[in-house]
Amino acid sequence: MDRVSFSEGIPLNIPNSLTVLRILLVPVFVGLLVYEHYDQALLTLIIAAVTDGLDGAIARMANQQTRIGAYLDPLADKLLLMSSFLTLSILHMIPVWAVIMVVSRDLILLAGTLLARVTESSIDISPTILGKGTTLVQFTYITMVVLMTTGHVELQMIQPVLAVMATLTIASGTHYLYRGIMSLNNQGTPS
């Protein structure tokens, strides 16, 4: 396996490099939004989305899936999404309730994952189809809001996406919580 290590035990392969690039693009995207460089912000968001698609595809095709990559990839998504929602809310481009919903869901899921780690419970933290769909719709919503700032999308086109995003965010959050609680309950039941 052709991996180059930048630190003992942490593989630096192409998929992980793309994920790290996506993390590094977060402050760039936020800064471009704050300074009203919306075209460049949109380009940065598109690059981040492309790296998100490429890192997983390359990892699977080249058999370069790593444990660190399994943690970094969703972390990169969450950092980009939460930063985007918070920044766009501060700039009064999206409703505050949408930010509260998205950030609360992710913080609750993070707290549940940390609780499982601390209690040494084994729960499945792999993303579900519903979770992946939610992330896709959240990215779509953010992209459409940025497109609105450049004059390419009308507000009326964004409202249905906001409704779908809110529904999926609540549904996926509830599903992840249910799955985690069921997993913990099954561990407590004697065989």
Side-chain angles (χ1 to χ4, degrees), residues 25-36 38 41 79-96 99 103 142 145-146 149:
L25 287 175
V26 170
V28 173
F29 177 67
V30 169
L32 290 169
L33 286 176
V34 169
Y35 289 104
E36 300 178 3
Y38 300 124
L79 286 172
L80 182 58
L81 282 170
M82 287 206 284
S83 298
S84 300
F85 275 95
L86 288 168
T87 304
L88 290 169
S89 175
I90 290 167
L91 297 173
H92 306 290
M93 294 181 190
I94 62 173
V96 173
V99 178
V103 172
I142 294 297
V145 170
V146 176
T149 64

Side-chain angles (χ1 to χ4, degrees), residues 44-177:
T44 304
L45 188 60
I46 291 168
I47 292 169
V50 169
T51 64
D52 187 25
L54 283 176
D55 65 2
I58 293 171
R60 284 186 295 280
M61 288 189 308
N63 194 25
Q64 292 186 343
Q65 295 168 309
T66 63
R67 186 177 177 99
I68 190 83
Y71 287 102
L72 280 180
D73 186 56
L75 174 66
D77 290 343
K78 297 306 173 202
L79 286 172
L80 182 58
L81 282 170
M82 287 206 284
S83 298
S84 300
F85 275 95
L86 288 168
T87 304
L88 290 169
S89 175
I90 290 167
L91 297 173
H92 306 290
M93 294 181 190
I94 62 173
V96 173
W97 65 263
V99 178
I100 293 169
M101 182 182 49
V102 169
V103 172
S104 295
R105 170 194 171 263
D106 288 344
L107 289 177
I108 290 168
L109 295 178
L110 178 63
T113 303
L114 291 175
L115 179 63
R117 286 275 181 211
V118 168
T119 60
E120 297 180 359
S121 303
S122 94
I123 61 169
D124 183 10
I125 60 168
S126 62
T128 63
I129 296 291
L130 184 58
K132 288 180 180 184
T134 301
T135 300
L136 177 63
V137 173
Q138 288 174 347
F139 270 121
T140 301
Y141 176 69
I142 294 297
T143 303
M144 289 182 78
V145 170
V146 176
L147 277 168
M148 184 181 69
T149 64
T150 64
H152 293 97
V153 170
E154 297 294 322
L155 181 61
Q156 296 82 358
M157 294 174 64
I158 297 174
Q159 295 303 331
V161 177
L162 176 60
V164 170
M165 185 204 66
T167 304
L168 286 176
T169 300
I170 292 168
S172 66
T174 304
H175 179 252
Y176 280 125
L177 281 174

